[in-house]
Amino acid sequence: VQPLPRQPRISREQVLEATLALAEERGLEAVSMRAVAARLEVTPMSLYHHVRNKQDLLDGLVERLLTELPIPDPSLPWDQRLAELAGSLRALAARHPDAFLMLLRRPADTPGALRAREAVYGALRDAGAPAELIPRLERLLSTFMIGFAASESGGRFALHDREALDGDLDWARSLITAALAGIR
Amino acid sequence: VQPLPRQPRISREQVLEATLALAEERGLEAVSMRAVAARLEVTPMSLYHHVRNKQDLLDGLVERLLTELPIPDPSLPWDQRLAELAGSLRALAARHPDAFLMLLRRPADTPGALRAREAVYGALRDAGAPAELIPRLERLLSTFMIGFAASESGGRFALHDREALDGDLDWARSLITAALAGIR
DNA sequence: ACCTGAACACCGTTCAAGT
DNA sequence: ACCTGAACACCGTTCAAGT
């Protein structure tokens, strides 16, 4: 006997959309399978046809955020591109402090992660870094930028005002520029 | 009417001890108020006399881990001290990947955080860094070290083997040494 | 002061059944 | 294929009561 085809009521897209909206409105802690389902006016169990489980739901959310990260215009000077990337990461972390931390908990091999990495690779190439050192440099740079944005949004830097943190990054930028000049 | 004094059955110390043991054996996700209470053979509600709530319990756990972080012998060369600190952070993150992430979610003004920061300050002083730059340098360095350890233990670096990551850190060390020489 | 039992308002997920 | 209802085994926390 053939199973009856049925019009899908919701898609994975819609599930992630609802997850994002919920996280934006009430924070990540309010994101539960049941709450997402309620927002879609559907039974909790219905979600399991579109995501494997809650972890997969959260993974999908993080990947979505990463994909929406603004990538700087490649025609800009390389150091400005890095600075803009750092700024975008800070803005993303500020909007989603909890979800941002999950960047540290998944392999950086998703399309969204690749996209961001390529942007850093390009900047480093234009900075004149030797090709064989670029992946390593990218790892160090991204780790610092993500760690900084996570510290700021997570509250680790709560004692420091925005101005001091801006100064930290400006100074880091000059140190990095000097280091890159030393390598080249 | 006087309330009757009563022999306390458990202390905050014991609660945190049980929390740590549970986290070590079954991971942070297994740490619940109810599970910690069960391990102490006590009702869940009894814990609330020793910790404000679950967040406070987790905070206590993180602070405990931080306090146990080995501080390098001050008589060692400054760069070796920094390298040892980085190694200790990596080991701590490997043992408690989830709890480690919580370092990014609380202000770094607890006794444990101060203790670690002072160790970095000392190393930077011995490296000859100008006093007025030391707090800023510490922020950059700690952010990188914590970000790196969190990336490694959290799985962000899952595609890279231990050897590559050791190489990353060795190289970072030489860049930092060069940058410090430039500042001095 | 410290511990308890019962209760409230939630969770994620499995399963068998419906269309 | 996709959605549902009922159920299972959990949560954190409040409250009133006991000693």
Side-chain angles (χ1 to χ4, degrees), chain A residues 6 32-34 45 48 53-54:
Chain A
R6 204 188 191 183
S32 69
M33 296 295 279
R34 296 174 115 107
M45 305 77 208
Y48 285 86
N53 48 35
K54 191 181 179 185

Side-chain angles (χ1 to χ4, degrees), chain A residues 113-184:
Chain A
L114 254 157
R115 189 168 153 274
R117 183 157 60 242
E118 277 304 329
V120 178
Y121 279 1
L124 291 174
R125 270 194 300 269
D126 293 353
E132 72 275 15
L133 291 181
I134 284 183
R136 178 151 273 170
L137 261 173
E138 187 276 334
R139 241 142 41 217
L140 300 187
L141 263 180
S142 296
T143 297
F144 172 71
M145 293 196 296
I146 292 174
F148 191 91
S151 295
E152 183 181 24
S153 70
R156 181 173 158 251
F157 287 155
L159 299 79
H160 308 283
D161 52 21
R162 172 82 198 220
E163 213 170 330
L165 299 178
D166 285 346
D168 284 1
L169 276 189
D170 269 353
W171 197 51
R173 174 143 74 139
S174 72
L175 289 183
I176 289 162
T177 307
L180 281 173
I183 289 170
R184 194 180 39 210

Side-chain angles (χ1 to χ4, degrees), chain B residues 15-135:
Chain B
V15 171
L16 293 178
E17 194 101 34
T19 304
L20 179 62
L22 201 57
E24 211 113 50
E25 286 170 26
R26 308 208 281 123
L28 192 65
E29 73 173 3
V31 171
S32 69
M33 296 294 280
R34 295 175 116 105
V36 171
R39 177 176 267 267
L40 292 166
E41 293 182 306
V42 114
T43 314
M45 306 77 209
S46 143
L47 298 185
Y48 285 86
H49 293 278
H50 305 95
V51 295
R52 209 187 314 278
N53 48 35
K54 191 181 180 184
Q55 189 51 58
D56 186 36
L57 179 80
L58 295 179
D59 251 49
L61 174 64
V62 175
E63 180 62 13
R64 215 196 134 109
L65 292 176
L66 210 49
T67 307
E68 286 169 4
L69 189 76
I71 299 293
D73 182 340
S75 68
L76 293 171
W78 67 269
D79 58 336
Q80 193 175 335
R81 269 181 283 160
L82 287 185
E84 282 192 15
L85 267 174
S88 297
L89 282 173
R90 286 173 88 187
L92 178 59
R95 224 172 330 122
H96 295 279
D98 299 323
F100 192 83
L101 277 186
M102 303 193 342
L103 280 181
L104 297 162
R105 310 193 48 168
R106 345 174 299 145
D109 64 349
T110 61
L114 254 157
R115 190 169 152 274
R117 184 156 61 243
E118 277 304 328
V120 178
Y121 280 1
L124 291 174
R125 269 194 299 269
D126 292 353
E132 73 275 16
L133 291 181
I134 285 183

Side-chain angles (χ1 to χ4, degrees), chain B residues 156-176:
Chain B
R156 181 172 158 251
F157 288 154
L159 300 79
H160 308 283
D161 52 21
R162 172 81 198 220
E163 213 170 331
L165 299 178
D166 285 347
D168 284 1
L169 276 190
D170 269 353
W171 196 53
R173 174 143 75 139
S174 71
L175 289 183
I176 289 162

Side-chain angles (χ1 to χ4, degrees), chain A residues 27-43:
Chain A
L28 192 65
E29 71 172 4
V31 171
S32 69
M33 296 295 279
R34 296 174 115 107
V36 171
R39 177 177 267 267
L40 293 166
E41 292 181 308
V42 112
T43 314

